[in-house]
């Protein structure tokens, strides 16, 4: 039983588990999206999100801390140069786990884990929704009523001249 156990050991010894999570983290940083089992994806999310938060502050100390976990110089450079500036405004929740079904061989539940800010299709679909929402507000109705109020004031002098002409024609 796993009473009061906070992490999933993934059926591995500590050294194997740390190496697995470090390698998966480097692959995720390099490719921005990887497919794995749901259990590994959830463990990877717990492992990597504090490192991403650490990468927001680009100091030598934070780089060394992140390198001690990842052990890959190119992954650390990619994290601090590319990923950190893009997620600088986000307060957390940098990774997304999407369940994709079951693996053919053994029936394990599979998932796709990706960076939230690097999925171009999700970002593109979210942008038009925000624009559409802003156009549905009452601001457009105010714009229509304002020209209508101005139009009779402008047409009133023009309508007096035809009214003056009409009695002359009779």
């Amino acid at each position: 039983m796993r009473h009061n156990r906070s992490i999933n050991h993934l059926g591995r010894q500590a050294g194997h588990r740390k190496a697995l999570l470090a390698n998966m983290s480097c692959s995720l940083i390099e490719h921005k999206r990887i497919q794995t089992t749901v259990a590994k994806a959830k463990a990877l999310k717990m492992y990597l999100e504090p490192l991403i938060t650490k990468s927001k502050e680009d100091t030598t100390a934070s780089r060394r801390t992140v390198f001690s976990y990842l052990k890959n110089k190119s992954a650390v450079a990619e994290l601090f140069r590319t990923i950190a500036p893009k997620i600088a405004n986000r307060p957390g929740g940098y990774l997304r786990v999407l369940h994709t079904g079951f693996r053919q061989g053994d029936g394990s539940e599979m998932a796709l884990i990706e960076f939230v800010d690097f999925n171009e299709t999700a970002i593109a679909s979210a942008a038009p929704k925000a624009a559409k929402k802003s156009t549905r507000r009452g601001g457009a109705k105010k714009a229509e009523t304002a020209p209508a109020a101005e139009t009779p004031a402008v047409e009133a002098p023009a309508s007096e001249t035809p009214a003056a002409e009409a009695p002359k024609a009779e």
Side-chain angles (χ1 to χ4, degrees):
M1 294 194 164
R2 44 182 318 269
H3 294 296
N4 247 357
R5 303 283 187 249
S6 61
I7 65 166
N8 188 352
H9 295 285
L10 301 173
R12 289 163 172 81
Q13 299 292 320
H16 188 189
R17 186 172 54 252
K18 288 177 186 175
L20 170 79
L21 292 172
N23 287 328
M24 288 178 66
S25 298
C26 293
S27 295
L28 182 62
I29 290 168
E30 182 183 343
H31 299 292
K32 310 298 186 274
R33 168 189 300 183
I34 59 172
Q35 185 168 4
T36 183
T37 63
V38 173
K40 287 180 188 173
K42 288 179 180 179
L44 181 63
K45 188 174 181 179
M46 286 178 53
Y47 182 84
L48 189 57
E49 286 204 352
L51 299 179
I52 297 169
T53 302
K54 194 79 151 162
S55 72
K56 286 182 176 182
E57 184 183 350
D58 192 5
T59 61
T60 305
S62 62
R63 279 183 179 262
R64 285 180 176 170
T65 303
V66 171
F67 182 76
S68 72
Y69 283 90
L70 297 182
K71 298 177 180 52
N72 187 336
K73 190 186 294 186
S74 62
V76 172
E78 176 81 9
L79 180 63
F80 278 87
R81 288 185 191 145
T82 309
I83 297 170
K86 205 162 188 181
I87 53 101
N89 299 333
R90 184 175 288 277
Y94 314 111
L95 300 175
R96 175 187 298 134
V97 177
L98 300 169
H99 296 256
T100 58
F102 298 95
R103 189 161 47 196
Q104 184 70 30
D106 61 355
S108 295
E109 193 173 1
M110 299 300 286
L112 193 71
I113 185 166
E114 64 184 2
F115 282 98
V116 173
D117 294 327
F118 283 87
N119 187 349
E120 288 81 17
T121 56
I123 293 170
S125 66
K129 289 181 183 177
K132 184 185 276 187
K133 187 174 183 181
S134 65
T135 58
R136 291 184 62 191
R137 292 187 182 147
K141 292 179 184 176
K142 290 178 187 174
E144 292 173 7
T145 58
E150 293 175 5
T151 317
V154 175
E155 292 178 6
S159 63
E160 291 175 2
T161 53
E165 293 174 8
K168 290 179 185 176
E170 289 179 9

